[in-house]
Amino acid sequence: MLSHTLANGAADADGGGLSLVEWARELAGRVVRPTAAERDRDRRWDQGIFAELSGARSGPGLAGPLVPRALGGGGLSATRTCALLEGLGDGGRDPGLALAVGVHAVLATVLLRAFGNPRQQRRYLPRMASGEWVGAVSLRQTQGAAHASTVTARPAAAGLGGWVLSGELDLVAGAPVAHHFLVIAAHDDGSRTAFVVDRTTPGLLINDVGPVAMRTCPWGQVMLDGCVVPEDAVLSTVGGAADEVEPLLAALDWVFLSAPWLGVMRALTRDAIADAREHHLFGRPVVHAQSARFTLADQAAQCELASGLLYRAAGQFDGGGRPSREDAAAARLFVAAAARAVTEGAARLPGALGTTGDHLIERAHRDALFFAETGGGTEVLRPVIAASLLGIG
Amino acid sequence: MNGDHRGIDTAPSFPGIAARAAETDATGRIPLQNWKELTDSGYLRLFHSPDIGGTGADGPTQAAAMEALARACAGTFWAATVSALLCAKLISTYGDTREHARLLRPLLSGERLATFAVVEKTAGSDSGTFRTTVRPAGPAGSDFVITGEKSRIANSPAADLAVVLARREKLPGDDGPDWCLAFVDLRQPRVQRYAIPHMGLRGMSWGGIVFDDAHVAAADVVPVPIEELAEGMAWGWLFIAFAAIGIAESALAASVRHARQRVSFGRPLAHMEGVQAQLAESHAQIDAARLLAHRVTCERAAGRSARDLIGMLKIYATEMAVGVAARAVQIHGAAGVTSGHEVERLYRDAQMNVIGGFASNRLREQVAEGLGLGPAVYRAFDWVTPSGLGRDPVGLDGLVHAAGDGA
Ligand SMILES: Cc1cc2nc3c(=O)[nH]c(=O)nc-3n(C[C@H](O)[C@H](O)[C@H](O)COP(=O)(O)OP(=O)(O)OC[C@H]3O[C@@H](n4cnc5c(N)ncnc54)[C@H](O)[C@@H]3O)c2cc1C
């Protein structure tokens, strides 16, 4: 077998000799995995599981790894956060729940960390890091304005101050359980502003609709019916989303929402190797069949290749420099294709589609297809990379 | 490509070699200036510790240097790296660094060129078919002779020294390994060589060696269990992966240039989304391979094996480069299939890496074994017919017509 250090080359060690990937894998294996298939069938979010992941005793909580310690967070590096999410995907075997955790723990918190004013940071971040407040984001809004904006912002009636938000957002991960939402809204002149909108805002309504995939993620559609929000709901500058919030939000989605999939790919590969040892075809052990062996060899390679791109992109968030959008997009483009290749390879092996077990292959198959379309899918990722290569666009 | 080669400032670059790459390919010969540039750059010494004449470069520098040379000229990269990396590693790993300093020193200084001769005319993937044998020169003699034919070997027509995998003719009572590495001086009368014309990597010489009781000093015959050799061979897989990555990078860079310049339907190709999609996929795949290549080079430089990862890398990188080169040819249109054009050369070069140093599928077998699946099991293919799937079915009316047809 590949040695552990090789298989997890990019993850650094936590105390006690366990890498952070291993630590998270073990935690998620205990807390998430046992009910994953059942919650998937029932389309259920379990707040207790989230609380347990958030308040993990022996290591960093999963709710706010990137929130500074002074604000109650884990104060982890981006690289270590990536490792945490990889371990969650691997041990938990639940892409939907890992998506929900990633959206809250990375997308929602980092935007406040990066662009929130001190008042906003003090108000939101400690309670987000503890898991008490969930922040929700629409996956439609993580690709800048690649999709036309569906929410408008107009100045509130004279004298009142603040803004009136109207419109609707779907694919909001975390909506049913969220305390607040990140909403990017367009002004009449086409410029856009990011807002943090509390759930209690009058006129805000949540509908219980979601995609067929990622069923363990709490999904919803958010309707904003003339919601009046104060000036202090503005994240960063008015009209500045295109230069500030949107590029960061896109890169965070591309990198950190990919991380659990590296874990899922590793879990599928490990399962496939174990299954191949047990099954027979034409009276021969499957491990003797060359096509199965080649499939497994390629699956293992896809994991390592994806890991390299992912940790490079994550590492660029550490050390104070500007992460490269090209590298973040390349990581997502590759991981999404690799996730599908690994799931498909695993599904083709004899005995893969059993009637027992936790049906990770079937769930991952459905979810990987969905995952490949999020973050903009190839139609957004390829132009982003090409623009950078060609110096145009 | 505006690929950011971070942290490789100390690695050499090879502008002259790059400028002569087309000429090197066309003439099928590596110009003398290339060797001078290589020697001056320190490339040949990077991979080895100072005690044998190396400079002990760190992993990132080794990786960056291989990538840079492969980008400059894949044929020159192969020739130089087979000798200075692969053969020198084999000699220093399995030989004796003190005894064989006389062989290593001229390889690292660039005065001599080495070749690694394993494969014969039979199936190169299967060492069981190799017949070349080393035996004692005389009844009581301390030296040895070698007999047999190695074929399709990089550098062999031009090399001075061969590291040869051979069988050992064992005397009764000798329970040592069945195989050895023999370090054979090729500049002797009982050695004949021939060149084989080849599709790509044309600057590198490639061909066969016939040993007809050629002389080998006793100290230059090193018995090695064949399973242990894979560790040394992995240096070969590693550099071949870099060859592929360098070729793919050059192909992508050429594609980007061409896409910016070539005008079609009133705009540069760069504005065509189909072209952009090809560039983006190539870029992501190259980076995936490149990052793994740099990672495993660092593992190796730190003295760790990383053999399974290198196997995965060789498979992926070499097949990836073929895909990238094919896209580059497509983006270039007819220019890409015109003899003498850069991407036409890269397209030919790319395919060589898939086969050289273990063809992909043979290597997949080894990677699979490394995943804990046990060694490859070969059995005559005889299980379809007994399972009832080896026959055409009868038609919709059953056996009636089947019988009629037979009559
Ligand atoms: C550019 C280049 C440089 C080379 N340099 C050297 C050198 O320096 N030294 C040297 O010794 N040799 C060298 N070779 C030879 C090379 O190692 C062999 O060509 C290679 O190992 C394959 O052997 P073969 O060509 O005889 O193909 P075969 O062994 O006949 O294989 C043919 C095909 O069958 C597949 N195959 C074989 N066995 C299996 C298996 N068990 N399972 C599944 N598929 C299998 C292979 O993948 C391949 O696709 C070089 C070749 C090239 C192209």
Side-chain angles (χ1 to χ4, degrees), chain A residues 6 290 293 298 312 326 390, chain B residues 260 283 287 295 365 374:
Chain A
L6 286 186
Q290 201 161 56
R293 295 168 71 90
D298 287 341
R312 172 179 68 171
E326 178 187 347
L390 292 161
Chain B
R260 283 207 189 105
H283 174 74
D287 268 13
R295 173 176 154 201
E365 268 299 1

Side-chain angles (χ1 to χ4, degrees), chain B residues 80 111 151 282 292:
Chain B
E111 291 156 272
S151 191
S282 293
L292 184 54

Side-chain angles (χ1 to χ4, degrees), chain B residues 43-52 54-59 62 66 80-97 100 103-105 107-108 114-116 161 163 181 183 222 224 228-239 297 299-304:
Chain B
Y43 178 80
L44 304 173
R45 298 189 187 277
L46 289 177
F47 310 102
H48 306 281
S49 56
D51 59 316
I52 59 167
T55 48
D58 60 12
Q62 292 186 24
M66 283 195 274
T81 313
V82 162
S83 180
L85 171 63
L86 178 58
C87 290
K89 285 288 183 191
L90 290 162
I91 295 170
S92 63
T93 304
Y94 300 103
D96 179 312
T97 47
H100 297 118
L103 304 178
L104 290 166
R105 208 171 294 119
L107 297 185
L108 270 54
T115 178
F116 181 33
L161 171 74
V163 176
L181 288 181
F183 308 143
V222 183
V224 185
E228 282 179 22
L229 264 185
E231 205 50 52
M233 302 255 200
W235 287 111
W237 308 341
L238 177 61
F239 93 74
T297 307
E299 293 283 334
R300 280 246 138 181
R304 291 187 288 271

Side-chain angles (χ1 to χ4, degrees), chain A residues 290 294, chain B residues 78 82 115-119 122-126 151-154 201 204 206 352 355-362 365 378:
Chain A
Q290 201 161 56
F294 288 8
Chain B
W78 256 84
V82 162
T115 178
F116 181 33
V118 175
V119 166
T122 51
S125 306
D126 178 5
S151 191
R152 303 168 289 162
I153 313 295
L201 302 172
M204 170 190 81
W206 192 63
M352 304 296 282
I355 312 293
F358 259 27
S360 291
N361 276 349
R362 177 68 187 92
E365 268 299 1
Y378 301 116

Side-chain angles (χ1 to χ4, degrees), chain A residues 1-2 5-10 266 269 272-273 276-277 281-284 287-288 290 292-298 300-302 304-310 312 316 322 324 326-327 330-331 333-334 337 378-379 381-383 385-393, chain B residues 1-4 6 252 255-257 259-260 270-271 273 276-281 283-285 287-292 295 299 304 306-309 312-313 315-316 319 360-362 364-365 367-379 383-384 387 389:
Chain A
M1 292 297 280
L2 287 176
T5 49
L6 286 186
N8 295 309
R266 290 201 192 279
T269 303
I273 290 171
R277 290 174 196 276
L281 193 66
F282 287 118
R284 315 160 66 219
V287 285
H288 289 185
Q290 201 161 56
R293 295 168 71 90
F294 288 8
T295 299
L296 293 170
D298 287 341
Q302 290 285 311
E304 300 307 325
L305 293 157
S307 163
L309 286 170
L310 199 54
R312 172 179 68 171
Q316 289 174 9
R322 275 199 161 218
S324 143
E326 178 187 347
D327 291 347
L333 184 66
F334 196 92
T378 53
E379 297 312 305
L381 296 166
R382 296 196 302 205
I385 298 167
S388 166
L389 282 173
L390 292 161
I392 56 173
Chain B
M1 180 167 117
N2 50 4
D4 44 329
R6 292 182 188 115
L252 176 59
S255 305
V256 167
R257 270 196 313 274
R260 283 207 189 105
H271 290 272
E273 285 145 57
Q276 293 169 10
Q278 290 179 308
L279 298 177
E281 295 289 351
H283 174 74
Q285 293 168 6
D287 268 13
R290 187 159 135 269
L291 288 161
L292 184 54
R295 173 176 154 201
E299 293 283 334
R304 291 187 288 271
R307 204 174 85 206
D308 289 323
L309 282 176
M312 294 178 197
L313 168 69
I315 296 164
Y316 182 79
E319 294 181 353
S360 291
N361 276 349
R362 177 68 187 92
R364 282 193 171 87
E365 268 299 1
V367 172
E369 198 174 331
L371 292 174
L373 299 174
V377 177
Y378 301 116
R379 200 185 119 183
W383 50 83
V384 172
S387 71
L389 299 174

